[in-house]
Amino acid sequence: MFAQSVLAESNSLYVGDMIFYIISFVILMLLVKKFAWKPVVKMMHDRAEKIANDIDSAEQSRNEASDLATKRQSELQNSRQEAATIIGNAKQSGEKQRSQIVASAQNDAQALKENAEQDAKQARQDALKSAQNDVANLSIEIASKIIHKELNADDQKALIDSYIEGLGKDES
Amino acid sequence: MGGDAFTFKLFGLMFDWTNIISGLIVFAIVFFLLFGLSRKLQMKPKGGQNIIEWIIDFTNGIVRGQMPADEAPHYNFMIFVLFVFVFVSNQFGLLFNISWNGNEILRSPTADPIITMTMAMIVMTLTHFAGVAKNGFGGYLKSFCTPYTAMLPINLFEEFSNFLTLGLRLFGNIYAGELLLKLVAGMAFSHGIPTMIVSLPLEIVWQGFSIFIGSVQAYVFVTLTSVYISSKVSTEE
C-alpha cells in the first residue's frame, strides 16, 4: 500500500513528475491569468473606480443642490422686496387718485351748487317778474272794475312797479 | 525499475502514473473552476463572480498581511493560483481515491512528497528570485550575513529547513489524512456488517476533519510562502 507513496521506498526519484508538475503549474498560471484573473481583477478595479467616482459626483451634486437652495432663498427675498415696493407704489398712486377724485368731486359739487343757486335766483327773479305782471294786470282789472274807468295799462304798470319795488326794499 | 510502482520511463526520466493522472485532473479542475467562476462578469457581482472575488480578496489579504504594501501586488496572482491549486489538491483525494490492481490511480497529488517538495521548490526559487530582483545580487548575498557574518551558516541552514518543512508539512498532513481514511475503509470491509457500522461514523468524522486539515494546510502553505517572500524582499539595508 505504501510502496508507491513514499519516496524512501521507491527505487528512483521521479524527476519526470517534478518537471511535469512545474511545467503544468506554469501553464496553469498562464491560463488562469488570461482567462480568470485579469478580467476579474479588472472588474474589481473598475468597480472600485466607479464607487470612487460615484462618491465624488454625489459630493458635487450635494454642493450644487445647496448652491441652488441659497440662490432660491435670495431670489425669494428679492421677489418679496419687489412685491413690497409694488404694493407701496400702488398704495401711493391709489391715495393720489383718491385725493384727486375727492378734489374734483368737491369742485363739481361747488359748481353744481353755484349753478343751482344761480338758477334759484333766476327763478325767483322770473317768478317775481311774472307776479309783478300778474299783480299789475289784476290790479288794473280790479281798479277798472271798481272805478269803471279805463286806465292806461302802462301808467298803471309803472305805478305798481314803483310800489312793489318799495315792498322788495322793505323785505330785504 | 524495481517493479514496485506504477511507473513508466520517458526520455530517461521516471514518471509515476498516479501523480500524472491525478495532477492532470487537478490542473483541469482548477482551471475550469476558475474559468467557470469568472464568466459573465458584471459591475454588480452575482453568483460565481462573488465566489472568485472572495477567493481573490482572501489571498490578497494573506499577502497584504505579510508584506510591505508596495511589494504585495506583485505576488497576489502567484499566491492566488498556489492557494487554489493546493486547496483543490488537498480535497481531491478525499473525493476520489481509486485503486486498481493494487495500484492507486487517483489520490491527492499533495499526498506525495515528490509533489509537495516540487511545490516547495517552486516557492523557494521564487523567493530567491524576488530577493535578487529587489535588493540586487549584492544585497541578496548580504542578507545571509545579517545581523553579523557569524550567522551565515545558520541563515543557510534556515533556507534549507524552510524548504524541507514547507514541503514535508503539507505532505505529512495530507498523506496521514488519506492513510487513515484508507485504513478505516479497510477495516470496514474486513468483518462484514458489524465493522461497517462501527467504521461509518469514524470515516465520516475523519473525512470532515481531513477537509478542515486540507483547508488549513492550503492556508498555511500560502501564508508561509508570502512570509518567505516578504523576508527576502524587505531586508533592511
Side-chain angles (χ1 to χ4, degrees), chain A residues 1-7 9-22 24-25 28-33 35-37 39-41 43-44 46-47 50, chain B residues 2 4-5 14-16 19-20 23-24 27 31 34-35 38-39 41-43 45 49 53 56-57 77-78 80 82 103-104 107 109 113-115 118-119 121 175 179:
Chain A
M1 187 187 267
F2 313 123
Q4 64 271 47
S5 305
V6 185
L7 182 64
E9 291 188 25
S10 176
N11 285 343
S12 80
L13 191 64
Y14 302 147
V15 184
D17 284 7
M18 301 176 75
I19 292 169
F20 173 79
Y21 269 77
I22 292 171
S24 309
F25 192 74
L28 177 74
M29 278 178 74
L30 291 177
L31 287 176
V32 168
K33 184 153 200 165
F35 289 109
W37 175 265
V40 173
V41 167
M43 184 53 71
M44 289 166 85
D46 285 356
R47 187 181 311 130
K50 184 178 182 295
Chain B
D4 59 339
M14 278 305 270
F15 287 89
D16 180 27
N19 288 340
I20 301 291
L24 268 178
F27 281 123
F31 175 70
L34 297 178
F35 185 76
S38 62
R39 290 310 90 188
L41 295 175
Q42 287 166 331
M43 198 55 101
Q49 199 186 348
E53 285 190 7
I56 289 174
D57 274 340
F77 174 62
M78 170 79 185
F80 169 69
L82 205 57
N103 288 320
E104 282 182 306
R107 61 149 184 225
I114 284 288
I115 305 310
T118 306
M119 300 313 293
M121 195 173 73
Y175 179 67
L179 190 62

Side-chain angles (χ1 to χ4, degrees), chain A residues 61-74:
Chain A
S61 25
R62 206 175 59 93
N63 286 347
E64 263 168 29
S66 78
D67 277 1
L68 280 178
T70 9
K71 220 183 203 172
R72 201 194 49 179
Q73 197 70 30
S74 71

Side-chain angles (χ1 to χ4, degrees), chain B residues 211-234:
Chain B
I211 289 172
F212 172 69
I213 292 281
S215 313
V216 167
Q217 285 307 315
Y219 175 73
V220 166
F221 192 84
V222 295
T223 305
L224 283 176
T225 301
S226 34
V227 168
Y228 295 157
I229 294 174
S230 154
S231 74
K232 283 277 185 277
V233 297
S234 57

Side-chain angles (χ1 to χ4, degrees), chain B:
Chain B
M1 285 265 172
D4 59 339
F6 191 37
T7 58
F8 67 101
K9 222 174 166 182
L10 196 67
F11 309 124
L13 300 170
M14 278 305 270
F15 287 89
D16 180 27
W17 277 117
T18 311
N19 288 340
I20 301 291
I21 294 169
S22 313
L24 268 178
I25 292 173
V26 169
F27 281 123
I29 289 174
V30 170
F31 175 70
F32 285 111
L33 178 73
L34 297 178
F35 185 76
L37 290 180
S38 62
R39 290 310 90 188
K40 284 193 229 146
L41 295 175
Q42 287 166 331
M43 198 55 101
K44 201 172 153 193
K46 67 178 191 190
Q49 199 186 348
N50 276 326
I51 298 173
I52 192 167
E53 285 190 7
W54 180 81
I55 301 172
I56 289 174
D57 274 340
F58 178 68
T59 55
N60 284 0
I62 294 173
V63 179
R64 213 179 308 120
Q66 307 298 338
M67 265 183 230
D70 53 332
E71 290 294 335
H74 303 156
Y75 303 104
N76 281 346
F77 174 62
M78 170 79 185
I79 297 294
F80 169 69
V81 180
L82 205 57
F83 175 76
V84 178
F85 174 70
V86 173
F87 182 81
V88 173
S89 299
N90 290 351
Q91 312 299 352
F92 182 66
L94 300 177
L95 292 171
F96 308 104
N97 205 321
I98 298 173
S99 293
W100 189 62
N101 276 353
N103 288 320
E104 282 182 306
I105 309 282
L106 296 180
R107 61 149 184 225
S108 289
T110 42
D112 189 309
I114 284 288
I115 305 310
T116 59
M117 295 313 277
T118 306
M119 300 313 293
M121 195 173 73
I122 293 174
V123 166
M124 296 316 285
T125 314
L126 177 76
T127 65
H128 288 281
F129 268 111
V132 175
K134 181 77 203 305
N135 299 324
F137 197 64
Y140 164 74
L141 287 181
K142 221 196 265 172
S143 72
F144 287 105
C145 302
T146 48
Y148 7 83
T149 320
M151 295 287 275
L152 179 62
I154 297 174
N155 283 334
L156 284 177
F157 184 73
E158 193 198 346
E159 290 303 320
F160 184 63
S161 69
N162 280 350
F163 167 59
L164 271 185
T165 54
L166 187 63
L168 291 179
R169 177 187 303 108
L170 184 59
F171 157 69
N173 278 284
I174 306 306
Y175 179 67
E178 295 204 349
L179 190 62
L180 194 54
L181 278 181
K182 272 182 253 173
L183 288 176
V184 174
M187 186 178 92
F189 294 109
S190 58
H191 293 98
I193 304 291
T195 48
M196 274 190 201
I197 293 168
V198 176
S199 305
L200 190 63
L202 268 180
E203 187 87 348
I204 290 170
V205 167
W206 188 252
Q207 278 227 320
F209 190 60
S210 291
I211 289 172
F212 172 69
I213 292 281
S215 313
V216 167
Q217 285 307 315
Y219 175 73
V220 166
F221 192 84
V222 295
T223 305
L224 283 176
T225 301
S226 34
V227 168
Y228 295 157
I229 294 174
S230 154
S231 74
K232 283 277 185 277
V233 297
S234 57
T235 317
E236 255 89 323
E237 294 284 335

